[in-house]
Amino acid sequence: MLEPSGLAGLVSVDREKLTATARAGTPLKVLNEALAAQGLSLHNMGDIAEQTIAGATSTGTRGVVASLSAQIAGLELVTGTGQVLRADAETNPDVFAVARLGLGALGILTEITFAVEPVFTLEAHEFPMLWDEAMERFDAMARENHHAEMYWFPHTDRILAKENNRVLEDPEPLGRFRHWLDDEFLSNTMFGVVNRIGNARPSLIPKISNLSGQMLSERTYSDVPHKVFTSSRSVVFREMEYAVPREVGLEALAEVRRWIDSSGIMISFPVEVRTTPADDIALSTSSGRESMYLAFHMNAQTDHTAYFKGVEDILRGYDGRPHWGKLNTRTAADLAPAYPRWDEFQAVRDRLDPDRVFSNTYLRRVLGD
Ligand SMILES: Cc1cc2nc3c(=O)[nH]c(=O)nc-3n(C[C@H](O)[C@H](O)[C@H](O)COP(=O)(O)OP(=O)(O)OC[C@H]3O[C@@H](n4cnc5c(N)ncnc54)[C@H](O)[C@@H]3O)c2cc1C
């Protein structure tokens, strides 16, 4: 195991090329602040910023629109044979094609260069919807907004939809009280209490979820991108997330809903629905195909295995690819057919780490020996 916290900080910014290089152990939140201080920003990100940039990119972390890996313009890697390699679209392009999402199997990332842009204002519009309307409108929402996502509350028809758009105006963040009420008290403190009640009396979960769904109100605010994209999360949960081809995403979600309703399993966490375009990284969950991401959560005190297994069985049938940094039970033998460029990754792995210096139990399961 490596403890990378000493390998942190912004190294350089190239204003002409609009790139920023940081050491690989830099937490995303530190990079975000350092870029903002220079009037710059990443294009987008997932919904927390605690991870190091190497951990986030190596597992394919993303929000809506391009993954963090797809925003990498160059990287530096120490390989299994001790060689220091730089890779970008021109230098070692074969390594660049796979190492932007390397699962730690190719070497130790020491620096990552991201494409950045002048900081912009992102406006968030959040509003409740009902299932039928959401199924009908989601494709248009995804087309018409820069970012669209939704959270469905299992056992109910309730959905919270989110549309984020770039605007030209200055930021108008939520007032401090509303921010505390919505993002700290309701999303964390109250949600923690609700989960404890649900743990003690699972049969109450549908009623509680219906009530929580009813309490969601419409709101609009704007801020610098990382403050809109990321939030704090204090209720500890387990998660599995799958990418399925974009065109079958809603059909897969509806099948999951039918299975949840018939399974008798009580789920207190919403299911998150996001989309991303195709990218050109060999083992990216969006490699070569536009994707819809369906994320399933269970609080850490409840056994998640039956829920995740039931959903995983369904999504496997939709040619689903699991998020590499979240729970899944897949093996190299059944993941290889899901990735047309699997052999390309393995060829680079054989060259950069022939003795499997970087292998571990997880990598042996998902990538093979
Ligand atoms: C609350 C929460 C919210 C999340 N939200 C999202 C989201 O919105 N979208 C999303 O896609 N994901 C999300 N995730 C998943 C998250 O982004 C990571 O994929 C996951 O947590 C693993 O990253 P880590 O910080 O634990 O990294 P680590 O455990 O530090 O790293 C993960 C792996 O990356 C590799 N690695 C780390 N450092 C290096 C290095 N220097 N060189 C080479 N390889 C390296 C190793 O293989 C390591 O096992 C979320 C996770 C949590 C806990």
Side-chain angles (χ1 to χ4, degrees):
M1 280 186 84
L2 299 174
E3 162 46 55
S5 52
L7 192 67
L10 190 61
V11 177
S12 62
V13 166
D14 185 329
R15 287 186 175 273
E16 223 161 83
K17 290 189 184 148
L18 276 177
T19 58
T21 301
R23 295 188 188 93
T26 311
L28 204 44
K29 60 185 177 188
V30 172
L31 178 68
N32 284 334
E33 292 294 348
L35 289 177
Q38 305 236 13
L40 298 168
S41 170
L42 293 170
H43 306 308
N44 74 79
M45 63 206 70
D47 52 35
I48 57 161
E50 304 299 314
Q51 320 92 312
T52 63
I53 55 174
T57 56
S58 296
T59 51
T61 299
R62 18 134 289 281
V64 179
V65 199
S67 68
L68 281 168
S69 306
Q71 295 172 59
I72 294 181
L75 53 87
E76 186 187 79
L77 185 75
V78 181
T79 71
T81 55
Q83 195 188 359
V84 180
L85 267 188
R86 281 197 169 269
D88 58 33
E90 274 89 44
T91 314
N92 296 311
D94 54 337
V95 174
F96 188 63
V98 302
R100 283 173 286 164
L101 199 168
L103 290 166
L106 307 175
I108 300 168
L109 289 162
T110 46
E111 274 184 15
I112 298 180
T113 300
F114 286 103
V116 294
E117 62 179 306
V119 71
F120 54 95
T121 305
L122 196 64
E123 184 179 80
H125 176 212
E126 300 171 7
F127 53 97
M129 278 175 117
L130 292 178
W131 173 274
D132 287 346
E133 186 193 359
M135 293 301 112
E136 216 164 275
R137 272 185 55 193
F138 186 74
D139 285 339
M141 280 167 54
R143 241 188 348 263
E144 289 160 12
N145 295 280
H146 288 134
H147 312 246
E149 62 182 303
M150 55 187 187
Y151 297 83
W152 166 59
F153 291 76
H155 318 296
T156 80
D157 271 329
R158 299 197 180 277
I159 288 200
L160 174 69
K162 264 191 183 185
E163 297 172 337
N164 292 340
N165 284 294
R166 289 160 180 248
V167 292
L168 296 174
E169 293 81 17
D170 288 338
E172 279 184 45
L174 289 171
R176 271 173 64 179
F177 176 73
R178 182 80 201 261
H179 172 74
W180 171 83
L181 179 72
D182 289 357
D183 298 323
E184 295 300 330
F185 184 70
L186 290 177
S187 301
N188 286 307
T189 315
M190 263 307 278
F191 191 52
V193 172
V194 160
N195 268 280
R196 280 198 291 281
I197 298 172
N199 283 340
R201 296 273 305 277
S203 60
L204 289 179
I205 287 176
K207 274 207 181 85
I208 297 173
S209 293
N210 217 354
L211 204 67
S212 311
Q214 275 175 43
M215 280 166 62
L216 297 168
S217 55
E218 184 164 2
R219 61 178 190 164
T220 302
Y221 60 94
S222 60
D223 214 324
V224 292
H226 72 94
K227 291 192 180 163
V228 175
F229 287 129
T230 66
S231 358
S232 67
R233 296 265 181 261
S234 61
V235 181
V236 182
F237 58 86
R238 298 207 171 81
E239 180 172 348
M240 178 180 76
E241 185 169 33
Y242 258 79
V244 295
R246 174 70 181 85
E247 61 281 7
V248 295
L250 292 178
E251 187 187 323
L253 177 64
E255 187 173 341
V256 167
R257 179 179 183 170
R258 285 193 295 277
W259 175 79
I260 290 175
D261 287 345
S262 66
S263 70
I265 298 172
M266 292 295 148
I267 299 142
S268 56
F269 266 77
V271 173
E272 194 174 2
V273 181
R274 299 182 273 194
T275 57
T276 55
D279 65 40
D280 63 349
I281 306 168
L283 290 195
S284 163
T285 42
S286 292
S287 187
R289 73 184 196 197
E290 209 183 325
S291 305
M292 179 173 276
Y293 288 82
L294 304 173
F296 307 89
H297 313 73
M298 194 67 129
N299 73 72
Q301 286 75 39
T302 311
D303 183 9
H304 61 280
T305 45
Y307 176 33
F308 287 6
K309 177 176 184 325
V311 173
E312 190 168 46
D313 286 348
I314 293 171
L315 298 183
R316 202 188 279 254
Y318 285 89
D319 202 12
R321 296 168 175 168
H323 189 303
W324 295 107
K326 300 182 182 181
L327 291 170
N328 70 80
T329 66
R330 304 286 292 267
T331 61
D334 72 341
L335 282 165
Y339 286 94
R341 292 171 61 190
W342 184 264
D343 292 344
E344 189 183 327
F345 184 95
Q346 295 292 7
V348 176
R349 185 183 182 210
D350 286 343
R351 207 174 81 227
L352 301 192
D353 189 19
D355 301 327
R356 300 294 189 255
V357 175
F358 299 113
S359 203
N360 57 39
T361 314
Y362 179 65
L363 291 185
R364 275 189 287 277
R365 168 159 71 81
V366 295
L367 294 180
D369 289 327

